Structures are given as C-alpha cells and as structure tokens.
Amino acid sequence: MLRVTPLPRALAAETVGTAGLLAAVVGSGIMAQRLTDDVGIQLLANAVASIAALGVLIAVIAPVSGAHFNPAVSLAQAVRRDLPWSRFPGYAMAQVLGGVLGVVVANLMYDLAPLHLSGKARTGVGQWIGEVVATAGLVLVVGFVSRGGRGDRAPWLVAAWILAAYWFTSSTSFANPAVTIARMFSDTFAGIAPADVLPFVIAQVTGAGIGLAGIQLLVPEPKGTP
C-alpha cells in the first residue's frame, strides 16, 4: 500500500496522524496537571492517553502512509528501502508540521496561547542516553513488524514499547524529532525548553542508527527475500 499511495495523500496522512498524536500528548499532559499535583499520576495519565491515541492512529493511518509520525522512523525505513528516499524529506516536513499543528490544537483547547515556548529543562547525559535507548527500541520494533507480514501487530507492539519507555527511560521517551520540536511550543507538562531540543534530536538519530544495527542482527529477512 505504501509504495502505491499517491504522495500528497501519504503526506496528508502523516500530517494528520502526527497532529493527532501531539494533541493527545500535550492535551493529556495539561489535563493531568489541572486534575492533580501528583507528578506520578500526571505521568501515568499522560502515558495512557498518549499510547491509546498512538495505537489507534497507527491502525487507522498505516494503510495510507505507513503511520510513521516520526522522522527517525522514516529515516530508518528509507535506509532499509521500505520507504523511497524521494519521499523522506516530504515525510519529515509533514511530521514536523503536523506535530506543531497538534500542539496548537492542544493549547487552544485549554485556552492557552496557540504557540508559546516551553521553559521546562530536559537535559543531561542521563536523559540523552534515555532518548538513545527509547529510539533504538522503537526502530527495532518497527523493523520487526515491517518484515514477514507482521504489520497487523504494529499498533499494539509500537504502543507497548512507547508505554514501557515512558516509565523506564529517564527522558520519558520522546523518541521522535518531530515530537521533540513540536513540544517546545507548549510550556506545560509535556514541554521541552528550546535549548534542549537539539541534543534530544541528536540522541534520537543516534538511537535510530543503533536500532538499524539491531534489525540487521536480530530480525531475519523473510524467506524468499532476494
């Protein structure tokens, strides 16, 4: 399906899907902050809502564009030739645009300025390592479901990894350059300070490379693949 979907339709799907994901991530974070002062409960509410939305969005949009919603995933898919390189720049731009639109929607739902820079610091070697681990695992999972006709497992396997990584990584698993860029435009629970965006993205790209190596090592090509 991915290879024959007209590019404008695929880009629209990536934009809408990433917007929906960011609206869920940021919106649930704002709601959680308004309902409780317990940071643990805030993180739980944010994680559950975000992962539920992610699973649904993957299931609905995967037949159109592959439901990447993530430049790191699109880059890995292009390296593996599951996404034509000519589509990668458009996918990445659509994902970033969709992410920012989703943040705007979330901010407006809660009567906040459409775009306002976050002051929430997320920095340090520990958090960067967390992003490497979260992104490497995500790329590995995507590589697994992309081979051998396992695409129907993507909604729950990808969502399960991100839910776990929300809780076991020090960074709470952004694992996505588009998500990272977009989240700097909301000074709320899910925000990230602009100065901390680039190191997160570098860590995510590094993680994508490690994930690709993991696919080569751990995920065999289906029988009959030339």
Side-chain angles (χ1 to χ4, degrees):
M1 290 289 293
L2 177 60
R3 295 185 183 280
V4 299
T5 301
L7 182 57
R9 185 171 178 232
L11 296 183
E14 286 296 302
T15 302
V16 170
T18 313
L21 175 60
L22 265 297
V25 171
V26 174
S28 63
I30 298 171
M31 176 67 83
Q33 279 187 312
R34 294 187 178 185
L35 291 176
T36 179
D37 293 327
D38 187 316
V39 178
I41 295 177
Q42 290 174 357
L43 182 60
L44 178 62
N46 184 227
V48 170
S50 300
I51 296 318
L54 176 61
V56 171
L57 289 166
I58 291 173
V60 171
I61 293 177
V64 181
S65 67
H68 298 179
F69 314 148
N70 186 335
V73 169
S74 296
L75 177 62
Q77 293 293 83
V79 170
R80 296 180 57 239
R81 299 183 181 178
D82 287 333
L83 177 75
W85 274 107
S86 60
R87 292 197 168 202
F88 171 69
Y91 266 54
M93 288 187 288
Q95 291 152 1
V96 172
L97 174 61
V100 174
L101 290 174
V103 169
V104 168
V105 169
N107 286 335
L108 290 176
M109 283 195 294
Y110 290 94
D111 297 319
L112 301 174
L115 295 173
H116 54 285
L117 293 178
S118 175
K120 189 164 187 174
R122 297 180 186 266
T123 189
V125 174
Q127 294 209 43
W128 301 335
I129 293 173
E131 281 302 288
V132 172
V133 171
T135 312
L138 174 61
V139 168
L140 181 59
V141 170
V142 172
F144 172 78
V145 299
S146 297
R147 289 184 173 180
R150 305 184 186 105
D152 60 330
R153 305 184 195 180
W156 66 270
L157 281 178
V158 171
W161 171 258
I162 296 298
L163 177 59
Y166 245 100
W167 285 92
F168 83 80
T169 65
S170 54
S171 62
T172 67
S173 183
F174 282 44
N176 184 331
V179 164
T180 306
I181 292 168
R183 283 168 66 167
M184 75 176 175
F185 292 111
S186 187
D187 190 20
T188 57
F189 180 80
I192 179 172
D196 298 330
V197 168
L198 182 58
F200 262 52
V201 172
I202 292 171
Q204 290 155 3
V205 173
T206 302
I210 294 172
L212 281 167
I215 293 170
Q216 291 300 113
L217 179 65
L218 301 173
V219 184
E221 290 282 358
K223 292 181 179 180
T225 301

